[in-house]
Amino acid sequence: MKTFLCWGISKLEGLFGLLIWPAMFIIGDREQLIFNQQGQLNADGWVLFLTAIIGAAIPAIFTAIYAVKNFDEVTSYSMLFHLSRSSILDSKIKYFFRTIFIAGLNWAIVIFTAGLFFI
């Protein structure tokens, strides 16, 4: 299970690329629910946006902490070669922030898109 989780964390960028397409189609289909006439978010859109951002923060933080604790299993040798000019601590810090950002984007897209069906 640990190997599967580490493999999934290492593939978060690809998951983001897959999630963005259906999310954009759903947002485009339901844009009248979240945007007003001037193209700005209405009240429902803001509530959904803030809910998605806050709801995505907690699992993103846990994902990033898990990834850093299991840094050796999550990263590949090619990534370590790419980051060879920096120390291991520097690599872990960069990887933590990259993972928290990408995991947060993935969770935010899922929460925002699912929330569109409940408006």
Side-chain angles (χ1 to χ4, degrees):
M1 186 68 181
K2 181 179 175 183
T3 304
F4 178 72
L5 288 175
C6 291
W7 174 82
I9 290 170
S10 68
K11 304 297 182 197
L12 285 175
E13 289 88 355
L15 179 63
F16 177 74
L18 291 175
L19 285 176
I20 196 70
W21 290 103
M24 287 295 125
F25 286 123
I26 293 170
I27 289 170
D29 185 44
R30 298 180 174 262
E31 70 178 326
Q32 72 277 4
L33 297 175
I34 56 173
F35 294 111
N36 60 18
Q37 299 298 330
Q38 289 82 21
Q40 298 174 344
L41 286 174
N42 60 19
D44 289 337
W46 277 109
V47 168
L48 185 58
F49 175 75
L50 292 175
T51 302
I53 296 299
I54 293 168
I58 295 169
I61 290 169
F62 283 120
T63 303
I65 291 171
Y66 184 85
V68 169
K69 285 180 73 174
N70 299 300
F71 185 74
D72 296 334
E73 288 190 41
V74 174
T75 57
S76 65
Y77 287 114
S78 62
M79 180 184 161
L80 292 176
F81 178 74
H82 175 67
L83 297 172
S84 64
R85 290 176 288 187
S86 59
S87 68
I88 283 292
L89 178 63
D90 189 37
S91 299
K92 284 185 178 184
I93 291 170
K94 287 179 184 177
Y95 189 70
F96 174 80
F97 285 113
R98 190 180 98 207
T99 304
I100 199 169
F101 180 73
I102 295 296
L105 280 176
N106 285 329
W107 279 106
I109 287 174
V110 168
I111 293 169
F112 191 84
T113 306
L116 286 173
F117 292 108
F118 296 106
I119 291 182

